[in-house]
Amino acid sequence: MEYFKKYTTFILLSLLILGCSADEESHKPLEITITNFKTSYSEVKLDWELQRPKGVIIDDLIIYRIEKNGESGFYLEKLVANLPSNETSFVDNDVPYKDEVSYSVRISYRDEREKDPIRKEMKSEEKKFIREIVKFNEPPYQVQKDPLQPNIFHILNRQNNASLVRYNGLKNTIEHRTKFEDAFFINHKFHIINNNEIYIANTKGKVLKINADDYKTLGTYFPLVTDNMNAFFVSENRIYYQDDEQWCIYDSSTGKSARSGYVNSANYIEYIGDNKTLFLYCESEQYSAMYFLGYTRENCPDFTSCSPVNYYQTPSSVKPNSIDANIFSWNADKSKCISSINGVVFDVNTLKPEIRLYDITGKRYFQYAYDADNNIYAALQGEKRIHKFNSHYKLVEVIDTKLYPLFPMITTEGLKVLGSYEPVSYWSYGYGNNFSFNVRCAIETFK
């Protein structure tokens, strides 16, 4: 009898406990909790726990991504995954290169514990991935690596009318910025002279000398211009320049200008040292040329009569779209240069083309950069890729980017890229010589 009482009591207690557990289960809340959120350049990983009481039916489990770029940017929401209801993790391998990217887990469900269950929705808290991004409103005219500091780049920026910015590739920051008056007339190319002096001019004839380290103005010069200063270069205290089709010289120590005769109007001029100055002519697809001339005090003694040395003859066989003043890069010792959308490499000792990268890949390019080993990084037009060629012009690597690459930038820590959020199409200098693009840009870092 005593045993029967104990057994009956045990059964009643068990039923009571089970009843309480069932009652607790029926009142347990539905919850989504993100338990892990891991971010990197290439991917975002999130894990979550879903507390689901009995009687709750999950119809959809969805991952949403929200993008925002800068204070003035709009929030863009996108469904990026529709997963099985028992899934508890997701990896996004296509993370946008934006300032702020947020993720949330959302479910739609029916609670059959209710008398008339209806479809409801629930979302987890949002998790944010924040990047520090250097952005530009439009692609710049020119990006030039500092000759002394391998992680510093000088960028002639078109936003806010026009400015020159000093970008530190290691810190991923803009260290200095200087804005220009009459920005509409700014020359598209600046020159770095004596390793730390930046000369930049406008077509009306105003020339600024700027310290490359702190961007303080060291001098302002006003060569005489009656039409437009199309191109110029600097050697010692002389500024040689073109005023339409007149070749002119300005002495910065005396402030005097003089015309020295008629010349064909070059599209780009750059002094490379040893009295050698490169002249590019690329007015049309049919006519393009490259010269090295030497202007010195000996052959231009009185400013008015100049007979420059012509070091090489014009290359005899240059195909159309081989030379472009807007697309031009040197290797480190200036023994080679590369130009045009076709990636034509020239030997500076002969001025003859060595190869066209287009003949290797069938692709058109936007800009190029050499590294210290003469590898070439070529930014593809309309694709989120960079081609890396070794010094023998073999394609050795295809580098995927998140932006459309425009200007490759080689630092001691590796590659960075100034790219655009929308594709940019550029044909050639002779096609209209238009190098202005209305797309937003940023410097892409691969970390």
Side-chain angles (χ1 to χ4, degrees), residues 2-267:
E2 187 66 27
Y3 170 79
F4 178 74
K5 287 180 179 180
K6 288 182 179 180
Y7 181 75
T8 302
T9 302
F10 173 76
I11 294 296
L12 291 173
L13 287 172
S14 298
L15 291 173
L16 180 62
I17 291 170
L18 289 172
C20 290
S21 299
D23 186 61
E24 288 177 3
E25 179 68 25
S26 67
H27 290 88
K28 186 183 295 183
L30 176 65
E31 292 182 351
I32 311 170
T33 305
I34 294 179
T35 57
N36 178 53
F37 186 67
K38 187 176 181 180
T39 64
S40 68
Y41 162 79
S42 57
E43 68 177 31
V44 165
K45 185 178 188 301
L46 61 157
D47 301 300
W48 61 89
E49 289 181 353
L50 177 60
Q51 179 177 281
R52 176 170 53 175
K54 288 183 179 179
V56 172
I57 306 300
I58 306 297
D59 293 319
D60 294 297
L61 193 153
I62 298 171
I63 309 298
Y64 273 90
R65 185 178 68 206
I66 302 173
E67 308 165 20
K68 188 174 185 294
N69 216 20
E71 293 298 325
S72 60
F74 296 100
Y75 284 99
L76 176 64
E77 185 175 76
K78 182 179 181 180
L79 189 157
V80 292
N82 195 335
L83 304 173
S85 62
N86 62 345
E87 188 60 76
T88 58
S89 66
F90 171 72
V91 177
D92 187 359
N93 292 309
D94 187 27
V95 187
Y97 199 75
K98 301 288 184 70
D99 285 324
E100 180 182 310
V101 184
S102 303
Y103 293 82
S104 66
V105 183
R106 304 183 191 183
I107 61 171
S108 60
Y109 66 96
R110 289 171 288 114
D111 191 343
E112 294 191 341
R113 296 171 300 179
E114 299 174 350
K115 184 177 181 181
D116 297 310
I118 60 174
R119 191 180 178 97
K120 300 178 181 179
E121 291 188 350
M122 176 179 286
K123 64 178 285 188
S124 70
E125 74 275 27
E126 288 185 359
K127 293 292 186 179
K128 292 183 179 181
F129 177 23
I130 305 295
R131 299 186 202 254
E132 296 294 330
I133 300 178
V134 176
K135 296 189 294 296
F136 302 91
N137 287 339
E138 294 175 321
Y141 283 127
Q142 183 183 2
V143 176
Q144 187 166 340
K145 192 172 188 174
D146 191 274
L148 297 179
Q149 302 176 74
N151 297 304
I152 298 297
F153 296 83
H154 305 283
I155 303 172
L156 183 55
N157 178 24
R158 300 180 62 245
Q159 71 180 14
N160 300 323
N161 296 320
S163 63
L164 188 69
V165 299
R166 176 185 161 100
Y167 170 74
N168 187 317
L170 288 185
K171 298 179 180 179
N172 191 35
T173 58
I174 291 177
E175 294 184 331
H176 298 290
R177 183 191 304 270
T178 183
K179 295 183 179 180
F180 304 109
E181 299 175 354
D182 298 324
F184 177 79
F185 301 99
I186 204 75
N187 199 294
H188 293 186
K189 298 286 186 179
F190 59 85
H191 299 292
I192 301 178
I193 308 298
N194 300 325
N195 289 326
N196 66 344
E197 296 172 352
I198 298 175
Y199 282 79
I200 189 164
N202 65 29
T203 57
K204 297 165 69 175
K206 181 179 179 180
V207 181
L208 295 175
K209 180 169 72 170
I210 300 169
N211 184 288
D213 295 319
D214 58 17
Y215 276 22
K216 291 182 179 178
T217 300
L218 302 176
T220 304
Y221 311 111
F222 296 93
L224 179 62
V225 172
T226 59
D227 189 77
N228 283 307
M229 181 187 283
N230 297 325
F232 75 99
F233 76 91
V234 180
S235 176
E236 297 178 339
N237 64 330
R238 288 184 172 188
I239 299 174
Y240 297 84
Y241 64 100
Q242 287 192 183
D243 180 7
D244 192 22
E245 293 185 335
Q246 286 288 325
W247 187 241
C248 306
I249 306 174
Y250 172 83
D251 189 323
S252 61
S253 62
T254 64
K256 293 182 178 181
S257 299
R259 296 176 178 272
S260 66
Y262 173 85
V263 292
N264 289 329
S265 184
N267 306 114

Side-chain angles (χ1 to χ4, degrees), residues 141 326-329 365-369 377-379 406-408 435:
Y141 283 127
N326 291 323
I327 303 177
F328 189 88
S329 296
Y365 300 95
F366 190 83
Q367 294 287 356
Y368 312 90
Y377 294 77
L406 301 178
F407 294 87
F435 206 67

Side-chain angles (χ1 to χ4, degrees), residues 373-418:
D373 298 318
N374 278 332
N375 297 307
I376 300 173
Y377 294 77
L380 273 75
Q381 283 201 43
E383 299 184 37
K384 294 181 179 180
R385 290 188 179 91
I386 287 178
H387 283 170
K388 179 181 178 182
F389 300 86
N390 66 14
S391 58
H392 302 291
Y393 310 120
K394 179 181 179 181
L395 179 61
V396 293
E397 187 178 2
V398 177
I399 302 168
D400 292 325
T401 60
K402 291 187 175 296
L403 303 179
Y404 293 94
L406 301 178
F407 294 87
M409 305 162 71
I410 312 300
T411 73
T412 56
E413 288 190 343
L415 177 67
K416 299 182 189 297
V417 179
L418 198 157

Side-chain angles (χ1 to χ4, degrees), residues 250-292:
Y250 172 83
D251 189 323
S252 61
S253 62
T254 64
K256 293 182 178 181
S257 299
R259 296 176 178 272
S260 66
Y262 173 85
V263 292
N264 289 329
S265 184
N267 306 114
Y268 178 58
I269 306 173
E270 182 175 351
Y271 180 69
I272 68 166
D274 295 329
N275 292 324
K276 287 185 179 180
T277 301
L278 177 73
F279 286 72
L280 292 186
Y281 300 87
C282 40
E283 284 294 348
S284 68
E285 294 184 17
Q286 288 71 36
Y287 175 74
S288 58
M290 184 186 302
Y291 295 95
F292 271 115

